[in-house]
Amino acid sequence: MLPSQPLLHAAVFALAVLQALASDTFIAAVYEHAVILPDVTDEPVSPDDALALMNKNMDVLEGAIKEAAQQGAHIIVTPEDGIYGWHFTREAIYPYLEDIPDPAGRGGWHFTREAIYPYLEDIPDPAVNWIPCTDPTRFAPAPVQERLSCMARNNSIYVVANMGDKKLCNSSDPSCPSDGRYQYNTDVVFDPEGKLVARYHKYNLFRRETQFNYPKEPEAVTFETPFGKFGIFTCFDILFHEPAVVLVSELQVDTVLFPTAWMNVLPFLTAVEFHSAWAIGMGVNLLSANTHNISLAMTGDGLFTPEGPTAYHYDSGTEEGCLLLAELSARPRLSPTYPPAVNWSSYATSIKRFPGGKDTFGGAVRRDIFTFSELRHKTGNYTVCQGDLCCHLIYRMSNKSKDEVYVLGAFDGLHGSLIKYHWQICTLLKCKSTDLNTCGQPVETAQTKFEVFSLSGTFGTNYVFPEVLYSGVQLAPGEFEVLRDGRLKSKHGTSKPLITATLFGRLYEKDLPHPLRTFS
């Protein structure tokens, strides 16, 4: 006699749990998804048309989930906006018609509140103990949650996805929006039985995400698995204290799930560069799943650990998605190779300023004015200061191209035109050309390698993220180290030409009040 379907699922789930318990590692997957976008329209679509578009994207995601499960993955993360994409009006799409993005107008491609509404579902609190796949009529119709639940259940894998949540409200709530509902950018997690185990509402909305509301309070969402404690947040959240730092420093999660729709911004904020640095600086695993859209500079995801990237993907040349898998430590803090605690200012405050760096000049990295000093020689020791930050560099180039200029730069101040948050940055940086006015402008390729570099700074924060980026927007796993005294050092010289080596510090306590949150 064959077992019933529920018993079969229970047996498979129990086996997966036992397998996970037998090991201190787990297999994680992330999928970079080339999202199928809605048609250009000036009017909201019908619920049926919205669901049809979402099913097209979920068809692709389901294929990736099945493949990951077949390769032994225990959990898979899919991107922010991965189910419904984003929405252009006819006016907003105009700058993109010749594949020439207009950086100043990128906010215009988000949905309006009305346009996104047909894509939203009411997502209940996970405390209700619900498996949408087996009980789809328990709450209001939720075809997206039902399908995601079935993907998890049918493949015995944790599935992480991003979608939209709606919550009705009325005049009894003085903060209720005029259209009578809250709308949230939301991450959901379904376990291998298909049960909803986590729901997170994005707290730090990016620029013009006006289709969504800010939650009244930041949500620190965690859940336990047989392979460690997990936390979750979304995209722009990674640059702020809440909930990102709270999850790691206070709630001690082992692994962070990170759906994102990340637009790459050189020189410090390409996806693979910063996400890898954040995992190293915070001492946790980060499972980063990005959308893939070349015209919007969206590519780059990976499986990042405190010791560097285990697997990553950056592709600015095709429009294809990519599945990554890797085996990770379930509890990285218990690993014998876990990096030691770092005092980021110890070395820099213990030495005198180097003589190099006296001839400084100002240069813009986007809108931030850095203090730069040109590295005039093949070998040198330099110090550059701005505000309370002094950056020290010891270096030796293995070859110095006449066509390339490098600088040491320092920045200590508020970043952002609308949402203002405090950065402290020390950077060894390649300029776009030999014209010093180009220092700080985006550059993707280089020719100069370094035999040695050692970068440090008098940081006023413990939250510093070490970045090393090679020519072609490639990472440098295993080729640099962070010492206990706060120095970022090359180990044996760079194997590829260097774009930047950077210590990216965040002084969260100096951030200005958020100008767009209506709740405080």
Side-chain angles (χ1 to χ4, degrees), residues 35 74 136 161 163 216 253 261 271 333 343 410 444 512:
V35 185
H74 297 100
M163 57 183 297
K216 293 182 180 180
V253 299
R333 289 184 182 86
N343 182 336
E444 292 191 9
L512 295 189

Side-chain angles (χ1 to χ4, degrees), residues 313-370:
H313 168 76
Y314 178 90
D315 171 19
S316 61
T318 75
E319 292 292 351
E320 298 176 0
C322 179
L323 177 67
L324 294 178
L325 291 91
E327 186 174 10
L328 306 180
S329 172
R331 295 164 184 85
R333 289 184 182 86
L334 302 180
S335 169
T337 58
Y338 187 71
V342 176
N343 182 336
W344 286 103
S345 62
S346 176
Y347 175 80
T349 55
S350 69
I351 64 171
K352 294 182 180 180
R353 295 186 182 185
F354 295 135
K358 293 180 180 179
D359 297 325
T360 62
F361 62 96
V365 180
R366 293 176 69 83
R367 297 178 181 177
D368 301 325
I369 304 303
F370 278 60

Side-chain angles (χ1 to χ4, degrees), residues 202-239:
K202 184 178 180 182
Y203 186 60
N204 297 285
L205 298 176
F206 181 68
R207 293 185 185 173
R208 301 179 190 174
E209 280 187 271
T210 53
Q211 73 272 37
F212 292 122
N213 296 102
Y214 288 92
K216 293 182 180 180
E217 299 290 340
E219 301 170 353
V221 173
T222 68
F223 61 97
E224 296 283 353
T225 76
F227 37 91
K229 185 176 182 179
F230 283 69
I232 188 167
F233 54 77
T234 313
C235 202
F236 203 38
D237 285 326
I238 200 170
L239 286 165

Side-chain angles (χ1 to χ4, degrees), residues 16 43 130 162 167 188 201 221-222 247 298 329 369 390 429 472 488:
E43 299 295 331
W130 181 39
N162 176 265
K167 293 287 181 281
V188 291
H201 295 138
V221 173
T222 68
L247 285 174
M298 290 177 169
S329 172
I369 304 303
C390 283
L429 181 67
L488 171 61

